[in-house]
Amino acid sequence: MDTNQYLEMFIEESKEHLQACNEHLLELEKNPENIAIVNEVFRSAHTLKGMSATMGYEDIANLTHKMENVLDEIRNSRLHVTAELLDVVFVAVDQLEEMVLDIAAGGKGKLDVTDTVQKLHKIETGEVISVAATTVEPSIIDDTTTNTTQDNWLTYDDYEMTVIQQSVEQDFFTYEISVKLREDCLLKAARVYMVFELLEKMGDVIKSSPTVENLEGEDFDEIFYVALVTNEPSDDVQKKLMKVSEVTEVLVNSVTLEQLKKRNSFEVDKVEETSVVEMTDVTEDNQQIVEVKSPEKSPTSKNNQVQSSKTIRVNIERLDILMNLFEELVIDRGRLQSISEDLHNSELDETVERMSRITGDLQNIILNMRMVPVETVFNRFPRMVRQLARDLNKKINLEVIGAETELDRTVIDEIGDPLVHLIRNSLDHGVESPEIRLAKGKPEEGTVVLRAYHSGNHVFIEIEDDGAGINREKVLKKAISKGIVSKESAQAMSDKQVAELILSSGFSTADVISDVSGRGVGLDVVKTTIESLGGSIDISSTEGQGSLFSIQLPLTLSIISVMLVELGEEIYAIPLSSIIETAIIRSSDILNAHNQKVIDFRGKVVPLVFLENVFDVPRESTDDEFHSVVLVRKGDKMAGLVVDSFIGQQEIVLKSLGAYLSSVFAISGATILGNGKVALIVDCNALIS
């Protein structure tokens, strides 16, 4: 059997089952007596075993089988849950995930798991539970030897009866077929698909019970029923269907038009007799449900049909292509707006305005399609925290808040590693050991909160702990020894400035280098990555009480709002997310402080950055009385960007400069304007020191 067509489905479902295993095992550690959780893990492991065996990945199947044996011993109360037992099971889950990822990367899913298998075997005490598959001999039945009860009869509407009648007139046979799958069949939807594929080659499928939607959603037990119109003999139909893997029984019942008419008449009488009772019963149980289904309707309720079509899986490459095409549309929209302004044609203006509204709505829909819950990143951390806490001999509880908060997929792909570094930092440097916490009057168990929420056009992700906080003296001592700050400047630094020193390259306060920390690699990478995404990181800490790391990120990196400004004959774009406001200042308002030109902006000294000098813009020297200034911000720091004039606000498509120009100072990308010109996008973070 060619299983390649199911490979993508296997990989996706395997990842889901492994994630479920991780989550439930973490719950099980907190509630070791809860057999319901064990059953959930067992169900996921059992499903994965069946899928991998069907797909031919024996290493995965064997390892899950051993893990399943241990879980079965637990749920039968022959084993008790311990931290050591869960450690081995977690290792097994990690190795399973590694094999699945190898398959996704085009590998064969092979891995040496001998050591883990031996450990699982040692843990397992008692008889190995194995369910032997029972083989049921197939049989062919006619209308006089059917074991199908009246409750399992298929009923037909007028259209279906007409199709059957026309088929009979053309000397076709009508069969009602009962197909039974193995009780432990895991890929039921795949088996149904293979059965239907065979049936459609032999004739026309008129009806199925359950409905096709329910069959595809695996919403049935082991048996389903199909009505087939074909010119093939019943024994040929039965033999072909029995060749489908995991099909244990096929019953083919030849029916006549008269039988079907008589049956439909019987069903109508049956519904008329019971409809009043059904309606009364339902109304007493639930006032909102008063619908009685007629036999002609599908067994699937209307609500269930809606639920089954809520989501579809789309390859991410298709969304990227859609986004690229829409970006081109945004560029053309800007071009049309520019032409419209030049021509002053009322009909053209009206059309362009309508197009702008429609593309604006389309933009919102496409950007929402690219949004992914941060849960996809957060899911990995409970397991990581558990393992690190054990390695550090600490008791730590991780609270996750706002996992449903959505971010652009591009940001999601990049934010995982920075969060890993920050959480590891909180566990190692922040939360104290149980002995120290008790001595300080704190609870023995420390708490780390991972929080995400929306605010305007940004998403904030926060990591907060109730640990020791940042030791000012220790940080300053290390910073001075590393030459990051001088002794003189260190004394004048605020607590916030001292806290931000830990983001410096090569900085670490760890006394001992370990696998967790101490090498001075981590938080500087966090800062660099977040700033490359157009975000910022802020640190608040109170010594003895804890620390808060707050990351601010843009919702999307593809289409951004900017302020277009003019420098000589060149146009630059400044992201609105960095702008506080714009101002016109007199030359006489510009002051000098420490060889730096500054202005007094509402009682605060703000340094000026002349973009014409930064970007070497060719121009004639002029002594203007007034200067246009764009006030921008990076955290608590501000700067005034001096430009020639403001053009206005516009939504633009952010384009990369490519590999050769990736290191250009203070330029984050470029965009094509409506008039066809290229505007460079200013990286404000690089200009604020």
Side-chain angles (χ1 to χ4, degrees), residues 42-56:
F42 183 88
R43 191 174 294 114
S44 293
H46 185 71
T47 303
L48 183 58
K49 182 185 78 171
M51 291 194 305
S52 54
T54 304
M55 296 293 290

Side-chain angles (χ1 to χ4, degrees), residues 113-126:
V113 294
T114 308
D115 185 53
T116 307
V117 169
Q118 288 176 350
K119 287 180 180 177
L120 289 170
H121 184 69
K122 288 178 181 178
I123 290 173
E124 182 187 347
T125 58

Side-chain angles (χ1 to χ4, degrees), residues 116-157:
T116 307
V117 169
Q118 288 176 350
K119 287 180 180 177
L120 289 170
H121 184 69
K122 288 178 181 178
I123 290 173
E124 182 187 347
T125 58
E127 184 180 355
V128 177
I129 306 299
S130 61
V131 182
T134 56
T135 304
V136 180
E137 288 297 325
S139 60
I140 304 171
I141 61 173
D142 57 24
D143 53 14
T144 60
T145 61
T146 179
N147 66 346
T148 306
T149 65
Q150 290 179 349
D151 292 336
N152 290 327
W153 280 348
L154 292 171
T155 56
Y156 305 90
D157 57 28

Side-chain angles (χ1 to χ4, degrees), residues 467-511:
I470 296 175
N471 187 315
R472 177 186 173 93
E473 298 304 321
K474 191 173 183 179
V475 170
L476 284 176
K477 183 178 178 181
K478 182 70 72 171
I480 293 169
S481 68
K482 291 274 186 181
I484 297 172
V485 295
S486 63
K487 288 185 178 180
E488 294 74 20
S489 60
Q491 300 305 317
M493 295 180 74
S494 66
D495 289 344
K496 198 171 189 64
Q497 290 173 323
V498 172
E500 289 177 354
L501 288 175
I502 67 175
L503 299 175
S504 304
S505 179
F507 189 90
S508 176
T509 58
D511 297 321

Side-chain angles (χ1 to χ4, degrees), residues 279-547:
M279 191 169 191
T280 304
D281 291 343
V282 172
T283 305
E284 288 174 357
D285 291 338
N286 189 334
Q287 296 294 330
Q288 295 180 338
I289 303 174
V290 292
E291 181 182 4
V292 179
K293 299 188 182 84
S294 64
E296 290 81 17
K297 290 184 180 179
S298 163
T300 308
S301 71
K302 193 171 183 180
N303 289 337
N304 286 341
Q305 288 177 346
V306 172
Q307 289 175 357
S308 65
S309 60
K310 273 186 176 179
T311 59
I312 58 171
R313 283 179 176 166
V314 179
N315 192 312
I316 196 66
E317 290 179 2
R318 294 185 182 181
L319 290 182
D320 288 339
I321 293 170
L322 178 63
M323 193 65 193
N324 290 336
L325 291 173
F326 181 73
E327 288 172 356
E328 297 300 323
L329 183 61
V330 170
I331 293 171
D332 289 337
R333 179 182 70 183
R335 177 68 175 146
L336 278 175
Q337 288 171 335
S338 179
I339 294 171
S340 173
E341 290 170 2
D342 293 340
L343 295 179
H344 301 292
N345 183 293
S346 59
E347 290 188 10
L348 180 59
D349 290 344
E350 186 178 337
T351 303
V352 170
E353 185 181 344
R354 176 172 171 76
M355 180 183 174
S356 297
R357 286 199 305 270
I358 293 171
T359 51
D361 293 340
L362 184 60
Q363 175 180 326
N364 290 332
I365 292 172
I366 292 175
L367 290 179
N368 284 334
M369 287 171 63
R370 290 175 56 86
M371 302 298 270
V372 180
V374 292
E375 181 181 17
T376 56
V377 178
F378 284 8
N379 279 344
R380 73 168 89 164
F381 297 132
R383 169 69 199 287
M384 185 189 83
V385 169
R386 174 196 180 271
Q387 190 59 49
L388 280 177
R390 287 178 62 79
D391 293 343
L392 296 167
N393 294 318
K394 295 180 180 180
K395 294 184 178 181
I396 299 171
N397 175 46
L398 176 67
E399 293 182 13
V400 178
I401 301 172
E404 70 283 354
T405 306
E406 293 184 330
L407 259 175
D408 188 277
R409 185 187 66 87
T410 309
V411 182
I412 287 285
D413 291 344
E414 299 293 333
I415 198 62
D417 287 343
L419 291 179
V420 168
H421 288 305
L422 289 174
I423 291 175
R424 289 169 72 95
N425 180 76
S426 290
L427 267 60
D428 191 25
H429 296 288
V431 179
E432 312 96 328
S433 64
E435 297 79 16
I436 296 175
R437 291 182 64 85
L438 288 172
K440 289 182 178 180
K442 293 183 177 182
E444 185 181 23
E445 184 179 65
T447 301
V448 175
V449 180
L450 181 58
R451 185 186 299 110
Y453 59 91
H454 281 127
S455 178
N457 290 324
H458 292 85
V459 168
F460 286 83
I461 298 178
E462 297 178 346
I463 296 94
E464 184 177 9
D465 66 69
D466 63 349
I470 296 175
N471 187 315
R472 177 186 173 93
E473 298 304 321
K474 191 173 183 179
V475 170
L476 284 176
K477 183 178 178 181
K478 182 70 72 171
I480 293 169
S481 68
K482 291 274 186 181
I484 297 172
V485 295
S486 63
K487 288 185 178 180
E488 294 74 20
S489 60
Q491 300 305 317
M493 295 180 74
S494 66
D495 289 344
K496 198 171 189 64
Q497 290 173 323
V498 172
E500 289 177 354
L501 288 175
I502 67 175
L503 299 175
S504 304
S505 179
F507 189 90
S508 176
T509 58
D511 297 321
V512 179
I513 293 177
S514 67
D515 292 337
V516 181
S517 61
R519 303 181 188 276
V521 178
L523 294 188
D524 62 315
V525 176
V526 170
K527 181 182 179 183
T528 304
T529 303
I530 290 169
E531 289 181 353
S532 71
L533 294 171
S536 61
I537 180 170
D538 184 67
I539 304 174
S540 302
S541 179
T542 303
E543 192 169 346
Q545 295 182 18
S547 304

